[in-house]
Amino acid sequence: MVLLRASSEAIGTEANLDATVGRGDGGIPAGAALVAFAEAATRGSAELADVRAEVLTAVGPECLVEAAATVGIFNGLVRSADATGIPLDGPMRDASEEVRASLGLDAFSGAANTRARTGPARAGDATQDVARLFGE
Amino acid sequence: MPTFSYREFGHPVREDLRAAHTETWQHLANPGAWWTGAERVAIAAEVRLARSRREDPPWLRNDWPAHTGPLPSGAVTAARRIAVDAHGLDRAWCEETAAELGDAAYVELVSVVVCTTAIDAFAEALGTPHEPLPEPLPGDPTRERPDHMGDGGAWVSMTVPFQGPNVARALSLAPGGQMAFMRLVGAMYAVSDFTQLVWDRPLSRPQVELVAARVSAVNECFY
């Protein structure tokens, strides 16, 4: 969520994060098709072939490969996180606090692995949050 | 020898992606630190079985085929659960499984599951057949445990201290698996340009992050 918001702001746009829970296109070009593709491919649902064809029409084969690669690696990444119980990194935890609550993500069972923020809320700067993960 | 041609897609798939998948399969076939090549390929086969039936409701999963290969039953159960029910795992289950298999063996098993999942999910998304699993290579596990492991707040030991996101050290108790998976992450998503918010790629960074966030939400992954 933080990276979606930050990368949108970096190009002067504002993403609607509701798309991440299946509501709308996020205000992202071809967003509706990409969301449907991510969902169908992850679930292995019967609509996948049709949705794939929509993405192919909307963005072309090179972009479809990139979307498929993202689907693939994130299906791996979420399992790596959930099978090892890693906590959400502090900067990301702080930056995503409001959006997690509004989208209902705190109800996911993996939320139990992350301690709540103990300091005061701060104005988020998502770009700095990404850099802070690497100590920059 | 794996090919990862993705020919059935009908359009080119970039060479570095195919090369990363080929390298991962070669890594999978070799003995690891705690599992033989045959056991690692058997873990991948369990992932495939579970993924093929991931829409089954829980009460039908008792009817899944019993495993008759080289793996202990605890490893079969772990591979299947991580493949299809990762969001429902908890610390107690992980610690029990790690105690049964060995904590480093558990993390190596996770690395095989996530590498197989990433590659198979990519093929499914493109509408191409799965690459056949590799032929296991002979040899014994090295039984080498990495240094500098400690409590990083996860259910398993990780590299400490560490500068970077936790997901980049989640598998550090199995360094070979960690390296193989991060190689895939680099080819399929980002590593060196992770902190750059504007990408000069076919899909924009917001488009990629939208797909990533939706995949994470469908999987009910908090991280």
Side-chain angles (χ1 to χ4, degrees):
Chain A
M1 311 297 169
V2 171
L3 290 169
L4 171 57
R5 183 171 61 193
S7 61
S8 295
E9 290 173 354
I11 57 173
T13 62
E14 184 177 354
N16 184 339
L17 302 185
D18 283 355
T20 64
V21 290
R23 298 194 293 257
D25 64 4
I28 306 286
L34 290 169
V35 165
F37 179 66
E39 186 168 332
T42 297
R43 296 192 195 283
S45 60
E47 297 82 21
L48 177 57
D50 290 341
V51 173
R52 185 188 305 116
E54 283 178 35
V55 174
L56 192 58
T57 302
V59 296
E62 195 177 15
C63 290
L64 176 56
V65 170
E66 299 308 309
T70 308
V71 167
I73 201 62
F74 273 82
N75 270 288
L77 282 164
V78 299
R79 284 163 177 77
S80 173
D82 284 342
T84 56
I86 52 173
L88 188 57
D89 307 278
M92 290 297 179
R93 176 199 60 201
D94 296 352
S96 64
E97 192 171 28
E98 284 185 24
V99 71
R100 291 197 325 263
S102 69
L103 296 178
L105 308 184
D106 288 334
F108 291 171
S109 59
N113 306 333
T114 299
R115 290 197 192 112
R117 176 178 50 77
T118 53
R122 64 180 177 77
D125 180 329
T127 303
Q128 288 185 2
D129 290 332
V130 174
R132 282 172 60 204
L133 279 175
F134 292 88
E136 294 177 2
Chain B
M1 183 72 179
T3 61
F4 288 101
S5 71
Y6 298 115
R7 189 182 310 110
E8 293 83 354
F9 176 51
H11 304 279
V13 171
R14 54 185 162 84
E15 183 55 39
D16 69 303
L17 201 49
R18 295 178 51 216
H21 292 181
T22 301
E23 279 184 29
T24 304
W25 243 224
Q26 290 166 345
H27 173 75
L28 171 63
N30 275 284
W34 302 98
W35 301 99
T36 66
E39 289 168 334
R40 289 162 55 84
V41 173
I43 292 167
E46 291 300 329
V47 173
R48 284 205 164 157
L49 167 71
R51 282 186 59 75
S52 71
R53 303 183 66 165
R54 63 188 184 274
E55 289 297 284
D56 281 0
W59 57 87
L60 285 183
R61 292 183 181 165
N62 291 334
D63 297 333
W64 286 8
H67 181 74
T68 56
L71 295 175
S73 62
V76 173
T77 301
R80 291 179 179 183
R81 283 207 66 183
I82 297 165
V84 299
D85 284 329
H87 66 278
L89 305 180
D90 58 27
R91 179 185 286 273
W93 176 85
C94 176
E95 290 179 349
E96 185 181 333
T97 305
E100 178 184 347
L101 303 178
D103 60 348
Y106 171 75
V107 174
E108 185 180 327
L109 178 146
V110 174
S111 76
V112 172
V113 173
V114 300
C115 285
T116 307
T117 297
I119 288 175
D120 281 2
F122 174 75
E124 293 159 16
L126 282 190
T128 60
H130 290 154
E131 181 79 14
L133 291 174
E135 284 297 319
L137 295 172
D140 295 324
T142 62
R143 302 197 174 278
E144 290 176 352
R145 188 180 177 92
D147 297 329
H148 309 298
M149 294 290 114
D151 183 0
W155 299 337
V156 296
S157 295
M158 305 192 294
T159 299
V160 289
F162 185 76
Q163 194 170 57
N166 283 328
V167 74
R169 62 170 169 165
L171 305 175
S172 49
L173 195 51
Q178 168 85 0
M179 285 178 58
F181 186 54
M182 292 315 292
R183 165 102 167 88
L184 277 183
V185 171
M188 299 174 77
Y189 174 54
V191 169
S192 61
D193 56 352
F194 177 76
T195 59
Q196 296 168 15
L197 294 175
V198 181
W199 285 348
D200 181 20
R201 297 194 193 173
L203 282 182
S204 69
R205 182 90 193 249
Q207 286 175 311
V208 168
E209 297 300 339
L210 179 61
V211 171
R214 187 65 192 127
V215 168
S216 297
V218 169
N219 279 293
E220 299 185 27
C221 179
F222 180 79
Y223 186 87

